[in-house]
Amino acid sequence: MAEKKTNILRDNPLMILLLGACPALAATTDVRAAAGMGVMVLAVLLLSGVIVSLLRSRIAAESVVPTCILTVAGCTSVMQMIQEAFLPSVYNMIGIYGAIVAVIVLTNRFACEAVDEQSVSETAKAAVTTGLYFLVILVVVAAIRQVLGSASLAGLSLSFLEEYKIAAMVKAPGAYIVLAIVAAVIGKVSMKKEKEEK
Amino acid sequence: MDNSLILVLMAGILANNYAIQNFLGVDSILSNGSSVKKSLRLGGFVTLIMVISAVITWPLQTYVLKHAEYLQTLAFVTVILIVAAAVEKIAGKSPDRDFLLFAVNGAVLGLCIRNAQTGFAEAIFAAAGAGLGFLAAMAVFSSLRDRVEEEEVPEAFRGLPVNLLIISMMSLALFAF
């Protein structure tokens, strides 16, 4: 097995953003979709982390990755079904990206790291922190993109911005640019924090 | 050969590029820090995985999963995982953690899910197109990233933000198609 990389995600919002870039870009055209996606990722992280860490002693070293990937896929399916049953509008908004949660690096790597964690409660704590970071970032990015790109926010239209819409914001290039700026702000803030700690 | 199949292939590489325009698997590209040469190799493996997965998942979807839609995600991920492990075995290395995490990505799963609604020949061509598109995106991205002089970039933008800006320019270029 390759060297163990523990706690790579802990308290590192930039890393979370990097590994979860796919849904962070795709589900941020609408704040509701972003919130739904964020909650889904949080739930998948928590569920798969707890399951993997309960099974930790029974997973053979060479089958860690396949076990984690399949656990995450199972948890994602469960969350998709729950979402389809109770929040069909969000389910339709997210589309196939709901299933993609099963294969993004963020969820899979988190599950793999849960194998090396000390206890179930620690894994659960890490899952909630990671998920909340991700949820907040997603909602912020979505709010910026939706206000600038389609002059509305979570279904409410902001008519005074109607003439100043930036069409590229709802398309792929705008998504990357907004995410880059948000990532730079996060990087700046965490750099400042580090300097203060020193 | 049918012209529409060529169109499907070209769309996968350019206009409908999975990683750049649809964000599928972009996390794998961003988190992979290897050189252009290694990126080409990895992209080639992903293309192979896409085509083989498409060959397996299309009949699986058409004949089995249409009776049990809710199993789609789990079944597809299982197939992709097995194919990825097999490809790596054939390629001569034992499956390690990072390759599987890289190869089982959103582009492959997204392709399999989208292919479910098309015909078999179209599915194979879409897989080849998506794979080549992914390969091209990876190679171009790693080459551009190598050319960015880190010292010239403002401190806060180093790392992920500037990489995202590189991809945003690539996606602007693809808008032309």
Side-chain angles (χ1 to χ4, degrees):
Chain A
M1 196 170 72
E3 58 179 293
K4 290 186 176 181
K5 288 175 189 157
T6 37
N7 295 345
I8 196 169
L9 292 170
R10 185 74 48 85
D11 297 331
N12 187 348
L14 271 190
M15 201 67 188
I16 297 170
L17 197 53
L18 165 66
L19 301 181
C22 168
L25 291 156
T28 50
T29 44
D30 193 299
V31 174
R32 287 164 293 178
M37 177 59 95
V39 172
M40 186 169 172
V41 170
L42 172 65
V44 170
L45 286 174
L46 188 62
L47 207 58
S48 61
V50 168
I51 291 173
V52 169
S53 98
L54 284 172
L55 293 172
R56 185 176 44 207
S57 57
R58 301 190 176 268
I59 302 174
E62 59 270 22
S63 63
V64 167
V65 176
T67 315
C68 291
I69 291 177
L70 289 179
T71 312
V72 170
C75 296
T76 309
S77 300
V78 171
M79 291 316 298
Q80 268 185 299
M81 285 177 223
I82 293 177
Q83 207 173 41
E84 194 178 4
F86 297 105
L87 286 168
S89 62
V90 173
Y91 177 81
N92 290 331
M93 233 183 263
I94 293 177
I96 71 162
Y97 295 97
I100 301 300
V101 173
V103 289
I104 54 173
V105 189
L106 177 68
T107 46
N108 285 328
R109 174 156 274 182
F110 185 86
C112 288
E113 273 164 21
V115 178
D116 307 331
E117 283 285 347
Q118 300 300 317
S119 65
V120 179
S121 63
E122 217 166 290
T123 308
K125 219 174 101 192
V128 173
T129 343
T130 310
L132 282 179
Y133 268 131
F134 193 66
L135 175 63
V136 171
I137 296 171
L138 239 63
V139 171
V140 170
V141 173
I144 298 173
R145 280 185 69 193
Q146 209 183 359
V147 168
L148 294 181
S150 45
S152 63
L153 190 65
L156 304 163
S157 80
L158 309 168
S159 49
F160 59 97
L161 283 172
E162 198 62 45
E163 283 179 29
Y164 305 102
K165 278 195 291 194
I166 307 167
M169 279 295 159
V170 284
K171 301 260 168 61
Y176 291 114
I177 292 172
V178 173
L179 200 65
I181 293 170
V182 170
V185 171
I186 295 171
K188 190 81 192 167
V189 171
S190 51
M191 257 188 274
K192 221 174 183 177
K193 232 182 189 172
E194 262 172 38
K195 268 181 199 161
E196 275 169 16
E197 274 168 16
K198 276 175 192 170
Chain B
M1 196 165 36
D2 197 351
N3 258 347
S4 64
L5 291 179
I6 304 284
L7 272 180
V8 168
L9 184 78
M10 292 312 285
I13 301 173
L14 298 169
N16 197 15
N17 191 301
Y18 270 70
I20 306 292
Q21 299 295 58
N22 293 311
F23 316 120
L24 293 164
V26 75
D27 42 344
S28 281
I29 294 187
L30 280 168
S31 59
N32 165 57
S34 42
S35 61
V36 181
K37 212 173 154 192
K38 204 169 162 220
S39 295
L40 281 172
R41 210 172 108 89
L42 282 173
F45 285 146
V46 171
T47 312
L48 195 59
I49 292 167
M50 278 181 171
V51 175
I52 301 174
S53 302
V55 172
I56 300 172
T57 53
W58 191 87
L60 186 69
Q61 170 70 35
T62 317
Y63 298 111
V64 183
L65 287 177
K66 70 172 178 191
H67 306 294
E69 280 286 340
Y70 59 92
L71 281 175
Q72 196 190 47
T73 309
L74 199 55
F76 281 6
V77 172
T78 313
V79 170
I80 296 166
L81 185 66
I82 295 169
V83 172
V87 164
E88 220 213 359
K89 204 98 189 173
I90 294 162
K93 280 192 291 179
S94 65
D96 78 6
R97 200 168 178 156
D98 282 347
F99 180 80
L100 282 182
L101 284 179
F102 170 81
V104 182
N105 63 36
V108 189
L109 182 61
L111 171 89
C112 294
I113 294 174
R114 285 191 179 172
N115 268 349
Q117 282 108 33
T118 59
F120 187 67
E122 204 183 323
I124 303 302
F125 273 81
L132 292 174
F134 191 85
L135 169 76
M138 262 192 89
V140 173
F141 172 70
S142 59
S143 150
L144 284 173
R145 192 193 48 211
D146 287 350
R147 277 160 221 245
V148 171
E149 308 225 359
E150 279 280 307
E151 290 81 40
E152 305 282 326
V153 179
E155 204 180 353
F157 270 90
R158 281 178 204 166
L160 175 65
V162 77
N163 288 347
L164 283 168
L165 289 179
I166 293 173
I167 296 203
S168 112
M169 277 167 217
M170 287 164 65
S171 99
L172 268 180
L174 285 179
F175 252 124
F177 300 99

